[in-house]
Amino acid sequence: MLQTIADQYGTAVLVPVSRSSTWDGIRNDYGPDVDVIDRSLHRAFDTVAVDPERIGVVGFSDGASYALGLGLANGDLFGHLIAFSPGFIPPAPRRGRPRILVSHGVTDPVLPIDRTSRRIVPTLQHTGYDVTYLEFDGAHTVPLDIAISAAEWLGWNDPPTG
């Protein structure tokens, strides 16, 4: 599904994996996973023509929490953050003002929405972030229509401005 949507929107996608069973920032502190992502980004920038205005970070579940933490800490690089069913935001100093999209299923048994996104989103909005929030009927998943809405929210099918 991800590759099909990326192809439709003419977007390059880099899909790193955590060095352990989940992302390092979820368990304690940022470390080896950030190093892998950094090296992967450098390789991607050397390989693909990258518009610096169109760099984002996306994740699902623990990956969504990690995307929020890493993205907010590097908001001067990642101008767009997408978090599908995040559990929390790992602490880190914040830079920049990325746009944020959060989605969550109302019947999510893994990361219940009342303890997660319904708290995360207002907190981000209260601190001045531009947040789009999508709730959907469903559990711990990313439905196709939500994934397409996220791609449309990015607006990367439009020509760059400036």
Side-chain angles (χ1 to χ4, degrees), residues 56-141:
V57 61
V58 180
F60 169 69
S61 193
D62 279 354
S65 297
Y66 197 76
L68 286 172
L70 190 64
L72 291 169
N74 295 279
D76 50 345
L77 172 64
F78 301 115
H80 307 81
L81 314 179
I82 299 177
F84 298 115
S85 305
F88 68 105
I89 302 173
R94 297 180 180 181
R95 281 191 288 222
R97 286 311 232 200
R99 292 174 56 226
I100 303 167
L101 182 139
V102 176
S103 76
H104 214 117
V106 296
T107 59
D108 187 336
V110 177
L111 294 169
I113 194 169
D114 285 331
R115 293 190 317 215
T116 56
S117 290
R118 288 183 179 161
R119 292 182 182 181
I120 293 168
V121 169
T123 299
L124 289 168
Q125 290 170 329
H126 180 73
T127 54
Y129 289 97
D130 175 7
V131 182
T132 299
Y133 182 50
L134 306 173
E135 287 189 2
F136 59 90
D137 290 327
H140 196 64
T141 186

Side-chain angles (χ1 to χ4, degrees), residues 1 5 142-149:
M1 172 176 67
I5 294 171
V142 182
L144 179 59
D145 62 322
I146 294 294
I148 291 169
S149 293

